[in-house]
Amino acid sequence: MKTIFLAGIATKLGNEVVTVAQIADHFNIKVEEVTRKSGITTLRRFDHGQTLVATMAHTVHRLLNSVGVDVSKITGIFGSSSFTSATLMPSFTAHAAYEVGLRDVICDHVGLGCGGGLQAFKSAFNQLVVDASEGRVGRYIVVTGDDIRRILDPRDLNTNIFFSDGCAAVLLTNDPALATGYEVEYARTMAVANGNYGMLEIRSPFSGSLSNPAAGYMTMDGPAILRFIEDVGFRFRALAAPRASQLDAGYFIPHQANFGGLSSSLVSTMGLKRELVYTDGIRTVGNLLNSSSFFGLEDALKRCLFNRNLPVHLGAFGAEQQVGLVRLIPIRPQRIICTIE
């Protein structure tokens, strides 16, 4: 198999900054209570001038300009989003492909929730394995993002103190001319599938009676999520098998579920060193759902939060009880950062 590279990455947050003080004031509680529950200091929202699809298209073009690849050279796009604010069908990925200028390419919408980004990443990786086996060069964009505020009940404290709006774009390729960034050693996902799907739920607006349809806000079952977090470290090790011991020596970037529960679980159940687990995302921008791991990688590289010679593991879990893990081997990590705004 030819080497597959993560050759570029770009992210974009919502323009509107929501402070922890504003959240506390909205719910008439103390700032300390918000911080204790989520660990955040600020959240980000798309403002009235931003849409997810247009923001994503701009982010993809920044990425392609940064790595020097014309859009005509892209052979496919894989994406994941739970909610775009415009339509559920056609999908976010199809809309993004059109706005970017892609035509007659592979276009697949994959997964939901926080694990969806790594599901889309895995699909692009698997397509590159096929391309390489058939002697083709592939260049695939992975796009992720959510306009999450629109499906959060403004009266629900449990959901309004975690999630932010944003998007991410990643370039995966087996093109040796783009041998930079990271080699992707593997990209794997699994479904726990123990039937506890209600930990995160969005009821269909058509599930009620015709005269009284159900609301479409997202709900969270906190105790069920905590139970899932307690076990997620073992799932990551299962995905890394038979070389799970490699996790101990790398830098781990989980999606930013919350500061206390997830980071403590990873440190205790996986035997990781706390300084080698990325946790700054939940503090600075909250949970970006399917984009969290990609944002964390770019953020950690830009701010030199870890030794760039270390391998990196991206981890995520979420709706549909999906757990995903990606292992990255450094080549020239600093080269993947897109700094053009």
Side-chain angles (χ1 to χ4, degrees), residues 270-337:
M270 297 178 66
L272 303 180
K273 297 178 181 177
R274 188 172 294 274
E275 64 270 20
L276 293 180
V277 178
Y278 175 79
T279 58
D280 277 24
I282 192 65
R283 293 190 184 98
T284 58
V285 297
N287 185 344
L288 288 168
L289 296 103
N290 49 36
S291 302
S292 289
S293 297
F294 304 136
F295 171 84
L297 176 60
E298 185 185 43
D299 184 47
L301 284 171
K302 282 182 175 179
R303 296 167 55 206
C304 299
L305 298 182
F306 68 104
N307 183 340
R308 288 177 175 173
N309 293 321
L310 289 176
V312 173
H313 299 92
L314 308 180
F317 68 91
E320 299 184 299
Q321 298 187 303
Q322 287 285 335
V323 182
L325 184 69
V326 171
R327 178 172 168 84
L328 305 173
I329 307 300
I331 301 175
R332 289 184 293 274
Q334 68 279 5
R335 294 289 299 276
I336 73 170
I337 302 172

Side-chain angles (χ1 to χ4, degrees), residues 87-116:
T87 66
L88 296 178
M89 181 169 49
S91 71
F92 158 73
T93 307
H95 273 174
Y98 178 80
E99 291 297 328
V100 167
L102 296 175
R103 302 292 185 269
D104 303 317
V105 298
I106 295 173
C107 178
D108 285 348
H109 192 77
V110 185
L112 289 169
C114 299

Side-chain angles (χ1 to χ4, degrees), residues 115-143:
L118 294 193
Q119 287 179 275
F121 189 104
K122 181 192 72 173
S123 293
F125 176 84
N126 287 348
Q127 182 62 52
L128 282 164
V129 172
V130 173
D131 288 350
S133 72
E134 298 179 351
R136 294 193 302 265
V137 172
R139 303 172 194 88
Y140 296 98
I141 298 294
V142 176
V143 294

Side-chain angles (χ1 to χ4, degrees), residues 10-17 42-47 50 55 59 62 164-168 281 284-288 291 295 298-299 341:
T11 65
K12 176 63 178 175
L13 298 171
N15 290 334
E16 181 183 341
V17 177
T42 57
L43 296 177
R44 300 293 288 267
R45 306 293 194 208
F46 289 140
D47 64 24
Q50 289 180 290
T55 303
T59 303
R62 285 199 296 117
S164 282
D165 298 335
C167 61
T284 58
V285 297
N287 185 344
L288 288 168
S291 302
F295 171 84
E298 185 185 43
D299 184 47
E341 286 287 356

Side-chain angles (χ1 to χ4, degrees), residues 61-319:
H61 283 297
R62 285 199 296 117
L63 168 64
L64 296 180
N65 288 337
S66 178
V67 298
V69 175
D70 188 82
V71 68
S72 64
K73 301 298 184 182
I74 297 300
T75 48
I77 182 169
F78 293 84
S80 183
S81 178
S82 300
F83 191 72
T84 69
S85 78
T87 66
L88 296 178
M89 181 169 49
S91 71
F92 158 73
T93 307
H95 273 174
Y98 178 80
E99 291 297 328
V100 167
L102 296 175
R103 302 292 185 269
D104 303 317
V105 298
I106 295 173
C107 178
D108 285 348
H109 192 77
V110 185
L112 289 169
C114 299
L118 294 193
Q119 287 179 275
F121 189 104
K122 181 192 72 173
S123 293
F125 176 84
N126 287 348
Q127 182 62 52
L128 282 164
V129 172
V130 173
D131 288 350
S133 72
E134 298 179 351
R136 294 193 302 265
V137 172
R139 303 172 194 88
Y140 296 98
I141 298 294
V142 176
V143 294
T144 61
D146 270 307
D147 192 356
I148 191 68
R149 81 182 313 176
R150 294 175 181 267
I151 54 175
L152 300 182
D153 187 339
R155 301 161 298 180
D156 185 356
L157 174 64
N158 289 326
T159 57
N160 273 274
I161 62 174
F162 289 107
F163 300 104
S164 282
D165 298 335
C167 61
V170 174
L171 175 64
L172 293 182
T173 182
N174 61 355
D175 185 350
L178 295 171
T180 189
Y182 287 92
E183 173 189 346
V184 184
E185 184 172 319
Y186 59 73
R188 300 168 180 165
T189 66
M190 66 184 295
V192 177
N194 63 12
N196 189 27
Y197 297 111
M199 62 180 185
L200 290 169
E201 187 174 64
I202 303 173
R203 295 293 304 277
S204 166
F206 306 107
S207 64
S209 67
L210 292 177
S211 61
N212 186 29
Y217 288 129
M218 184 177 76
T219 60
M220 295 172 56
D221 183 342
I225 292 174
L226 290 175
R227 289 194 299 272
F228 191 63
I229 288 175
E230 289 174 356
D231 194 41
V232 76
F234 298 109
R235 309 295 183 183
F236 286 139
R237 286 205 168 273
L239 288 170
R243 291 174 287 180
S245 60
Q246 291 178 334
L247 293 171
D248 304 340
Y251 189 67
F252 200 95
I253 303 176
H255 91 267
Q256 300 294 282
N258 65 59
F259 175 65
L262 179 60
S263 61
S264 297
S265 173
L266 292 177
V267 169
S268 60
T269 64
M270 297 178 66
L272 303 180
K273 297 178 181 177
R274 188 172 294 274
E275 64 270 20
L276 293 180
V277 178
Y278 175 79
T279 58
D280 277 24
I282 192 65
R283 293 190 184 98
T284 58
V285 297
N287 185 344
L288 288 168
L289 296 103
N290 49 36
S291 302
S292 289
S293 297
F294 304 136
F295 171 84
L297 176 60
E298 185 185 43
D299 184 47
L301 284 171
K302 282 182 175 179
R303 296 167 55 206
C304 299
L305 298 182
F306 68 104
N307 183 340
R308 288 177 175 173
N309 293 321
L310 289 176
V312 173
H313 299 92
L314 308 180
F317 68 91

